[in-house]
Amino acid sequence: MIKRVTEYFSNRSKLSLSVYGFIIALFVAFLIGIVDYETGYELSLSIFYLLPITFIVWFVGRNAGVIISIVSSIVEFIANFEAGRTYSHPLIFIWNSGILLGFFLITVFTLSILKTEYERRRNLIKKLHESLEELKRAEEDLERKSQDLARSNAELEQFAFAASHDLKEPLLAITIGLKLLKKRSEGKLDSEADKFITETMDEAMQMQNLISDMLSYSRIGTVGEPFELTDCMTVLNRSLSNLKIPIEQSGAIVTHDHLPEVAGDPLQLGQLLQNLISNAIKFRGEERPRIHISAERLNNEWVFSVKDNGIGIPAEYSEKIFEIFQRLHNKKDYPGTGIGLATCKKIVERHGGRIWVESEPGKGSAFYFTIPDRQSSP
């Protein structure tokens, strides 16, 4: 559409020479013809001055047009004088030549203004063409990079899935072997050996959890379920049921408002809520954990929140915590793999939303995420 518009104005500008030059020349010729017919004088000869003036102004410049106008008026004055034309007063010769010179100069300045406007429009159209070409090249480059990025992400997800899956079996064998070793050697080795075996088993369990989280993270964009109308109250109840033991052990009080129905992947939405609630329980302070889940519709999306009274997060880490393998605390005090919030972010982005946190150290945290309200979209 834009290309057609620019071509239209470009074609109009190319016609400006004939439109502005020849039409004025023909109009002047018409006027001179009328005057010639009414007066009987051979004034039509002046058209042979006007056409050269028109082309000189257009192709050479205004100053050259002014000079040729003055020369043309002088030539016309001399020609009339030599032709022996007589008037009632000698000053009429000068008057007629002055009028003719004024007419020539008006033509010169009018054409000069039209030429300037024509060149301005031509330059503008040229720049527009260049901008469109540059934009087209940028779009092609962006599309190519987007395809490369999508392919790279797919390859990375496939690699992470394959690597995690292949690591799981040998690690499970190592864990089982360590458990058997600990059972059979219990009381037969010294305390230092028992401590070494226990720590190795803990590290193996940590590695198992890490692999499981990596598998979960890598599968979000590739094996997710199709979106369907999902009752978030059902999803929340299932998540709370899965967290029953840590809730009871921590004495956490979990409250919630009524949650809406949204279009999404039920399993991933459950994983999202479960991760956020689990984090609220894990990163608690000395007080009894209090967690509240709510949702509010704003514009064309639902804004969910999970608020707690935990240890809080420094403001400078409010974005970093959503990156994979990012940890703010010692894993001895707060166990985990550093993938949970990165998984939450990936789930939210797959649903077309965004996630962020508002928090202060010692004053708890409020995690927010949005899910588009596709039911009310036109």
Side-chain angles (χ1 to χ4, degrees), residues 82-233:
E82 292 296 328
R85 289 182 175 173
T86 59
Y87 295 95
S88 58
H89 195 280
L91 292 178
I92 293 179
F93 272 117
I94 300 175
W95 172 261
N96 287 344
S97 296
I99 292 295
L100 190 61
L101 174 61
F103 176 75
F104 287 160
L105 291 177
I106 290 173
T107 302
V108 167
F109 284 99
T110 301
L111 285 174
S112 177
I113 292 172
L114 293 175
K115 181 186 177 184
T116 301
E117 179 64 17
Y118 163 76
E119 291 178 344
R120 186 188 70 81
R121 291 189 180 186
R122 185 178 61 181
N123 292 334
L124 182 62
I125 291 171
K126 182 180 178 182
K127 289 180 180 178
L128 182 58
H129 274 300
E130 292 174 353
S131 299
L132 288 173
E133 290 296 327
E134 186 177 351
L135 180 61
K136 185 178 179 181
R137 288 193 298 270
E139 287 178 348
E140 291 174 350
D141 186 54
L142 182 61
E143 179 66 22
R144 185 170 57 255
K145 289 181 178 178
S146 297
Q147 291 175 356
D148 292 342
L149 181 61
R151 184 169 57 254
S152 176
N153 286 340
E155 291 173 354
L156 284 174
E157 288 179 350
Q158 187 176 4
F159 171 78
F161 176 78
S164 302
H165 186 271
D166 293 342
L167 285 172
K168 204 169 186 181
E169 289 187 8
L171 185 59
L172 181 60
I174 292 172
T175 305
I176 293 173
L178 287 171
K179 287 181 179 179
L180 289 174
L181 178 61
K182 182 179 180 181
K183 184 177 180 180
R184 292 179 180 180
S185 64
E186 190 173 1
K188 298 178 181 180
L189 302 175
D190 56 23
S191 59
E192 187 176 352
D194 289 339
K195 180 181 178 184
F196 174 75
I197 294 174
T198 301
E199 289 178 350
T200 305
M201 287 181 59
D202 291 341
E203 292 297 328
M205 291 298 296
Q206 174 71 10
M207 180 63 75
Q208 273 191 324
N209 293 333
L210 179 60
I211 290 174
S212 296
D213 287 349
M214 285 182 62
L215 274 170
S216 176
Y217 181 81
S218 66
R219 290 159 64 95
I220 289 172
T222 55
V223 294
E225 295 295 327
F227 288 179
E228 61 183 58
L229 188 60
T230 303
D231 184 359
C232 291
M233 286 300 304

Side-chain angles (χ1 to χ4, degrees), residues 8 69 72 130 164 277 326 367:
Y8 172 75
S69 296
S72 298
E130 292 174 353
S164 302
I277 297 170
Q326 294 298 324
F367 283 86

Side-chain angles (χ1 to χ4, degrees), residues 218-268:
S218 66
R219 290 159 64 95
I220 289 172
T222 55
V223 294
E225 295 295 327
F227 288 179
E228 61 183 58
L229 188 60
T230 303
D231 184 359
C232 291
M233 286 300 304
T234 303
V235 171
L236 176 61
N237 290 331
R238 185 169 61 244
S239 299
L240 294 177
S241 177
N242 293 337
L243 294 170
K244 182 178 180 180
I245 293 176
I247 289 174
E248 290 178 351
Q249 290 177 344
S250 64
I253 299 175
V254 182
T255 58
H256 58 83
D257 296 338
H258 179 76
L259 301 184
E261 292 183 340
V262 298
D265 182 333
L267 294 178
Q268 289 187 355

